[in-house]
Amino acid sequence: MSKTMLHDLIPRPLRVVATGKRLPVGVLRTIYVPSELRRHGDELISSFHYFGNVLRPVDTESADIILALDGTLAAEGWKIGIGSAAIQLCGGSPAGVFYAVTAMKQLLALGYARGSETAFLDGGTIEDKPRFAWRGLMLDSVRHFQSKDKIKEVIRLIADWRLNVFHWHLTDSQGLRLPFTRVPVSADPCYTRADLAEIAAAAAEHHVRIVPELDMPGHSNALLCHFPQYACDPAHPGAEFCLGNPEARAFLKTLLDEMMEFFPDSPIIHLGGDEADMTSWSNCPKCRAALQHAGLSQMRELENQFMNEMTRSVIAGGRRPMVWCTEAVHPADTLVQAWQSILEIHRTHPHGNQMVNSVHYSCYFDYPADSTEPRLAWMPELPEESVYQSFEPFAETLDRLCGTEACLWTEIVPEWRVLPKVAARLAAFAETAWIQPEDKDWHDFQRRKKQLEAVGYGNLLQA
Ligand SMILES: [Zn+2]
């Protein structure tokens, strides 16, 4: 049988069985939504409304469209059944139902392509579930700040492509975006507690978890400008916290505690831990004394001990720590994020820390997609095809791999370019994060992407 619109979805579903029949969308008049799925029902109703079809909510399961939970499906799994006059959307959890609704939006865009008079849906069944539990996007809100509304737009966009993690880089040498009570108010833009609560609510609505990041002990010049006493040399605070100053450690723990208050629903707290320069530590009497006192010989080991103390503080707060992968070895319950190579974690953590892939040559969205985009001289190109093709984890890392996360660092990405930068390669990334490797097919992906573009799916997402 020739392909149907059920074969045009992104991410490509696991199983599609087409009946060869068609359902004229105009016959769909009523919808039944159980109360716990109300939000997702409302989203589906507005998508139909976008195309001019007004659905009437009813209290009977004999409605034309039904949303339901189905305990036989995987938690994020979903199923759509399109009969001759009715549609069922099921999920293993509310998240699964939400993903069925996202798929339905694509089907509606395809079905309404010629107008509402002739709009139809191909009949059949689609059954799907994700390969990875961790499908993320990291956004750097320090190098360039984005407004609360822009952050919510980004979250809605990634959720429509079925990503479920928003990793939020909130501190760096160039600024602080969290309203820490101990940090004096400065001229820099910063999210308020109310902003954070509003963003967290928007994320929860879209089944997206926020992973906030407080980067330490490096990338910290902004904090150290306010608190030079916690740097090795207060006259020249630099970007690294002093490892030999117990008060600096105590101070960072109070910030971590407050960050956990800002994000009460975030089970994972990211501590950065990347790219700390050792020069100031090597020249610092306090750091050298701490090294000797700990019986260590390398500053990297002292940094490791510092990071372990910080991760324990996160665990004491009832959360799970996460770090960027460095040479440091972390306790087994720390999640480690690879950015240089997927094998680096395997090397440095032989005892099985779980990990997330963000290897730069397939995940760094700040890299230009082609020669027309602005770039820093050292940046390689990351075309969409490389996002799609170049991530395939080594077999020995698979049982430890929670998933994959794209990263948008914003040194040269102002707020107004964030959405276009994310959107351009997001579909390719989302398919890589969602589908089984044997189902990947670059040419078929391109066909589906062009198809969805041609029928205006992108505009539906922005509506
Ligand atoms: Zn020091």
Side-chain angles (χ1 to χ4, degrees):
M1 187 182 348
S2 68
K3 291 207 165 177
T4 67
M5 66 176 68
L6 310 183
H7 298 89
D8 289 346
L9 302 183
I10 297 177
R12 184 185 197 170
L14 203 54
R15 267 184 294 280
V16 173
V17 179
T19 57
K21 300 192 170 120
R22 285 181 170 188
L23 180 156
V25 190
V27 305
L28 301 169
R29 292 282 172 226
T30 57
I31 181 168
Y32 171 74
V33 183
S35 57
E36 70 270 28
L37 301 173
R38 181 62 40 85
R39 238 175 20 229
H40 305 322
D42 288 348
E43 182 153 2
L44 187 60
I45 290 170
S46 8
S47 299
F48 271 90
H49 195 228
Y50 176 85
F51 294 106
N53 189 337
V54 178
L55 295 175
R56 187 163 48 85
V58 293
D59 277 334
T60 160
E61 293 186 29
S62 61
D64 301 332
I65 302 171
I66 298 174
L67 268 60
L69 293 172
D70 177 347
T72 66
L73 299 173
E76 291 187 301
W78 59 271
K79 197 169 157 180
I80 294 179
I82 301 174
S84 55
I87 303 178
Q88 266 199 330
L89 292 87
C90 303
S93 67
V97 173
F98 174 68
Y99 296 140
V101 170
T102 62
M104 201 63 218
K105 286 189 194 176
Q106 294 185 353
L107 291 173
L108 288 175
L110 294 159
Y112 275 97
R114 290 177 174 82
S116 45
E117 289 295 310
T118 55
F120 68 94
L121 294 170
D122 284 314
T125 310
I126 309 173
E127 219 181 312
D128 201 11
K129 63 177 180 186
R131 178 187 187 193
F132 290 119
W134 188 293
R135 307 178 302 278
L137 174 81
M138 188 225 71
L139 179 62
D140 168 6
S141 292
V142 181
R143 275 59 172 270
H144 278 95
F145 181 79
Q146 304 92 20
S147 67
K148 170 192 72 183
D149 290 334
K150 186 64 68 181
I151 298 292
K152 286 161 66 180
E153 275 183 80
V154 170
I155 287 172
R156 279 199 300 272
L157 177 67
I158 65 171
D160 264 309
W161 293 102
R162 297 187 216 143
L163 269 52
N164 62 358
V165 173
F166 179 64
H167 169 182
W168 202 3
H169 188 75
L170 287 159
T171 74
D172 211 300
S173 278
Q174 294 82 353
L176 297 169
R177 304 306 183 200
L178 288 172
F180 292 119
T181 46
R182 293 193 59 183
V183 178
V185 176
S186 67
D188 293 340
C190 172
Y191 303 101
T192 64
R193 277 178 180 260
D195 291 342
L196 298 176
E198 193 179 323
I199 289 166
E205 255 184 43
H206 292 82
H207 302 282
V208 169
R209 264 185 305 175
I210 297 180
V211 177
E213 179 182 348
L214 172 52
D215 204 347
M216 63 177 77
H219 286 277
S220 298
N221 181 256
L223 264 174
L224 290 168
C225 285
H226 290 294
F227 301 92
Q229 67 271 34
Y230 301 138
C232 291
D233 176 2
H236 305 95
E240 280 75 30
F241 273 87
C242 178
L243 301 180
N245 180 347
E247 286 167 24
R249 296 185 184 209
F251 168 73
L252 280 168
K253 286 183 201 170
T254 64
L255 295 193
L256 280 175
D257 285 344
E258 195 169 24
M259 190 158 92
M260 290 189 263
E261 275 175 38
F262 294 151
F263 296 98
D265 303 322
S266 289
I268 294 168
I269 300 291
H270 205 301
L271 298 166
D274 58 313
E275 294 183 323
D277 180 55
M278 292 194 289
T279 315
S280 64
W281 300 335
S282 307
N283 296 329
C284 168
K286 281 189 214 154
C287 285
R288 285 209 297 266
L291 186 76
Q292 203 175 14
H293 185 252
L296 302 171
S297 58
Q298 306 285 328
M299 278 301 170
R300 281 285 176 231
E301 294 172 296
L302 187 64
E303 180 190 12
N304 196 5
Q305 184 230 50
F306 164 93
M307 286 305 289
N308 286 352
E309 190 176 330
M310 295 301 145
T311 57
R312 283 198 301 277
S313 165
V314 167
I315 292 167
R319 316 294 175 90
R320 190 170 178 199
M322 182 166 182
V323 294
W324 295 104
C325 187
T326 62
E327 292 153 39
V329 177
H330 297 279
D333 42 11
T334 305
L335 261 166
V336 184
Q337 186 165 15
W339 55 289
Q340 285 166 315
S341 119
I342 198 70
L343 281 175
E344 65 184 329
I345 298 177
H346 203 61
R347 254 193 332 265
T348 52
H349 295 78
H351 303 304
N353 291 59
Q354 285 195 297
M355 58 189 198
V356 171
N357 168 69
S358 286
V359 173
H360 65 102
Y361 55 77
S362 57
C363 294
Y364 273 24
F365 280 8
D366 46 324
Y367 292 177
D370 59 42
S371 60
T372 63
E373 275 201 75
R375 71 161 82 193
L376 296 170
W378 55 267
M379 285 181 173
E381 264 177 37
L382 176 55
E384 187 185 29
E385 186 171 1
S386 300
V387 172
Y388 194 85
Q389 304 279 28
S390 65
F391 164 58
E392 208 29 72
F394 296 89
E396 62 265 43
T397 63
L398 265 181
D399 58 333
R400 302 165 51 180
L401 189 65
C402 306
T404 183
E405 182 179 299
C407 297
L408 183 61
W409 301 103
T410 57
E411 281 93 339
I412 56 166
V413 184
E415 177 172 8
W416 56 89
R417 285 213 302 126
V418 164
L419 277 176
K421 282 290 273 183
V422 172
R425 287 165 286 187
L426 188 58
F429 176 78
E431 178 144 309
T432 295
W434 183 279
I435 76 173
Q436 296 298 322
E438 60 272 20
D439 290 335
K440 275 169 78 170
D441 178 335
W442 167 248
H443 294 291
D444 188 63
F445 166 76
Q446 281 295 302
R447 177 191 68 77
R448 286 174 281 132
K449 190 181 162 215
K450 284 182 183 137
Q451 184 74 61
L452 286 169
E453 277 168 5
V455 298
Y457 174 63
N459 298 64
L460 167 61
L461 289 190
Q462 282 160 25

